Amino acid sequence: MKGQLLNDPVFGMAAGQFDRVADFLNLDQSVRERCKWPKRILTFSLPVHMDDGRTEVFFGYRVQHHLSRGPVKGGLRFHPKVNVGEVAALAMWMNWKCSLMGLPYGGGKGGITCDPNKLSMTEQERLTRRFAQEITPFIGPEIDVMAPDVGTNAQHMAWILDTYSTHTGRFVPEIVTGKPIELQGSEGRIQATGHGVSFLATRALNKLGLPVQGATVIVQGYGNVGSYAVETMSAYGMKVQGISDITGAIWNENGLDAEKLRAHVAQTGGVAGFESAESIDPDEMLLRECDVLVPAALERVITESNAPNLRCKILAEAANGPTTQPADAIIEERGDIFLIPDILCNAGGVTVSYFEWVQNLQRFHWTKTEVLTKLETKLEKAFENLLGFCDRHKCGTRLGALATGIKNVARVKKTRGLFP
Ligand code: NAD
């Protein structure tokens, strides 16, 4: 059966969203098929010397969804549950996201099935370098450009840059984004995704006629995206009352202190045990009343069982694919939650990755203010365009965002034609 390899609930969810939008757009069959299926699905077995002298073989994946509008762009994930179907779904969402934001990229995603919490830094370095070495023939600044995602960070990008540069015999900073500043990473990249989520949350509050000052917030996930969303929203005067991560969930009715929390997590590895907060149940936290609920961890956490009981006014999808399709239908039916869909909500990351790539290609360096101002301009335009589209077509923001992204890709494929 076609697509058997990708038999996975997360891919099923992305493909189901695509089918719904393709029907809405009335896409003709030839373009529909070409837009849906990934161009390349790469699988690597990665033998690595472990610290205890054993050799362990890991599996790594890279899915390049399509290359019709430019190189593919997307993160590299380290997580025990990574599989090829999930990676393909994430690549597909990246695709529509880049198109929605008007970036000259197709979507890509990579992942290695591993638990980074159980690997030493030297093991992570050997694993990352092995993956970079295996994938070198299939990537390049004009073909496929990686960035951090769940379980990876700027250091992993530095190892990929170094491995790729060593193989090609020259310094190639434009092979990855989200790398350290001293290796020509961009100012503002580390906070870009969380900054974008926060900026869009304020725009949604404005749209609903609610004040930004004092708006209450709950955030699931305190990694790169969640932690910078917390910091930015706190700086805007919003009140972040609840935060969870894999170590537990914490609550302070008067708002959690963002600066102190970062120091606590740096010291202890998680939000649990933060002194000026009470510990609460992480699942119950999602159901508490708030202005803005921010899922910033993994996929499929807003489901048909919790969607009817959500008490937020705005659902800002910082994670990729946090809401299942049945939950989506419930939220649409309820009509009392303003949804900022993932492909717009977390697009700050890829947008500043694009800025980083452009700066690298030009050997130029912009200031943080320049970067974040350009980011806000792009997000503002995409947000306004989306609201206009939804108004004209009388549809929800999920459908509107996906339709805009998919429509642009379909148009490019049709214009380029089919080779041979
Ligand atoms: P990360 O690895 O830095 O952080 C993930 C966080 O989620 C950690 O705090 C972890 O403890 C927490 N977490 C995991 N399982 C959880 C659970 N069941 N309940 C509560 N918390 C849980 O990852 P990240 O880079 O912040 O990415 C988070 C999400 O944002 C992912 O969906 C990713 O694809 C998406 N995203 C990331 C970027 C980026 O620039 N890093 C850009 C766009 C989208």
Side-chain angles (χ1 to χ4, degrees):
M1 195 181 75
K2 200 188 288 180
Q4 183 76 17
L5 177 68
L6 304 173
N7 190 3
D8 164 82
V10 184
F11 187 77
M13 178 177 153
Q17 288 176 342
F18 173 83
D19 290 339
R20 180 173 173 227
V21 174
D23 288 345
F24 171 81
L25 292 172
N26 212 4
L27 280 192
D28 72 57
Q29 183 272 338
S30 64
V31 177
R32 179 186 292 237
E33 288 280 293
R34 289 163 62 202
C35 285
K36 180 171 178 176
W37 300 109
K39 185 75 190 163
R40 294 180 189 142
I41 301 174
L42 305 163
T43 303
F44 306 91
S45 67
L46 308 165
V48 173
H49 285 304
M50 306 302 280
D51 292 346
D52 63 7
R54 281 178 310 117
T55 297
E56 193 168 328
V57 176
F58 295 86
F59 277 87
Y61 309 98
R62 185 77 183 164
V63 174
Q64 300 174 339
H65 196 267
H66 81 87
L67 291 122
S68 306
R69 301 174 66 247
V72 301
K73 188 83 196 74
L76 174 67
R77 176 175 291 198
F78 281 11
H79 193 273
K81 291 201 177 129
V82 161
N83 67 64
V84 68
E86 179 193 59
V87 173
L90 290 162
M92 193 171 350
W93 285 322
M94 278 304 292
N95 208 350
W96 317 137
K97 188 187 304 180
C98 292
S99 167
L100 173 71
M101 293 304 294
L103 308 177
Y105 292 137
K109 204 77 177 190
I112 299 179
T113 315
C114 68
D115 186 348
N117 298 315
K118 294 191 179 141
L119 298 175
S120 69
M121 283 317 275
T122 50
E123 288 168 338
Q124 289 197 39
E125 176 171 358
R126 288 194 288 270
L127 178 58
T128 307
R129 285 186 182 280
R130 184 74 199 203
F131 180 70
Q133 185 181 333
E134 298 285 350
I135 205 171
T136 287
F138 307 100
I139 59 172
E142 303 294 342
I143 302 169
D144 185 342
V145 181
M146 282 184 265
D149 190 71
V150 173
T152 59
N153 57 37
Q155 180 59 68
H156 298 83
M157 297 306 112
W159 291 325
I160 294 174
L161 179 160
D162 184 62
T163 308
Y164 185 84
S165 297
T166 303
H167 277 270
T168 50
R170 66 191 176 90
F171 179 56
V172 192
E174 59 273 24
I175 189 61
V176 283
T177 59
K179 57 192 169 284
I181 303 272
E182 61 272 26
L183 292 176
Q184 295 185 23
S186 178
E187 305 289 343
R189 174 60 184 89
I190 193 158
Q191 52 274 85
T193 312
H195 186 92
V197 170
S198 311
F199 174 77
L200 290 167
T202 65
R203 298 296 292 109
L205 285 164
N206 296 154
K207 162 100 182 120
L208 298 183
L210 297 168
V212 171
Q213 280 290 324
T216 56
V217 183
I218 293 174
V219 181
Q220 181 197 47
Y222 191 78
N224 172 271
V225 179
S227 67
Y228 283 104
V230 167
E231 265 172 40
T232 312
M233 289 191 194
S234 303
Y236 288 162
M238 296 161 77
K239 192 158 69 171
V240 184
Q241 294 178 311
I243 303 178
S244 69
D245 69 4
I246 36 164
T247 66
I250 54 170
W251 185 267
N252 184 330
E253 196 65 27
N254 300 317
L256 293 153
D257 185 318
E259 219 172 287
K260 284 190 184 151
L261 182 61
R262 185 173 288 283
H264 168 82
V265 172
Q267 212 172 39
T268 67
V271 300
F274 184 53
E275 54 177 15
S276 19
E278 61 174 305
S279 157
I280 58 166
D281 177 63
D283 294 334
E284 186 264 323
M285 182 189 81
L286 299 178
L287 306 179
R288 293 197 174 190
E289 193 171 346
C290 63
D291 292 315
V292 188
L293 176 62
V294 186
L298 293 171
E299 304 90 49
R300 295 158 52 81
V301 290
I302 308 294
T303 63
E304 56 198 311
S305 45
N306 58 14
N309 304 318
L310 294 180
R311 288 191 292 153
C312 58
K313 299 190 178 80
I314 294 164
L315 180 61
E317 292 186 330
N320 285 304
T323 309
T324 64
Q325 274 193 296
D328 230 2
I330 293 168
I331 289 168
E332 205 169 325
E333 172 80 26
R334 282 180 51 159
D336 59 347
I337 294 178
F338 185 97
L339 174 76
I340 312 176
D342 50 2
I343 65 166
L344 173 64
C345 193
N346 65 37
V350 70
T351 304
V352 175
S353 274
Y354 164 64
F355 295 159
E356 184 173 325
W357 182 73
V358 167
Q359 290 170 80
N360 293 159
L361 290 170
Q362 299 176 340
R363 298 293 188 263
F364 205 74
H365 198 75
W366 301 343
T367 64
K368 186 169 159 190
T369 310
E370 274 178 284
V371 169
L372 294 181
T373 308
K374 284 180 204 292
L375 170 63
E376 290 183 4
T377 306
K378 268 198 152 322
L379 288 174
E380 175 72 29
K381 188 167 168 226
F383 184 75
E384 286 304 325
N385 284 347
L386 174 60
L387 294 188
F389 184 96
C390 295
D391 230 29
R392 284 194 303 282
H393 296 272
K394 304 280 162 271
C395 68
T397 51
R398 167 96 55 222
L399 186 67
L402 288 168
T404 307
I406 292 169
K407 186 165 53 83
N408 295 341
V409 175
R411 197 184 306 132
V412 166
K413 286 205 179 276
K414 205 163 187 164
T415 309
R416 280 189 59 163
L418 184 60
F419 175 85

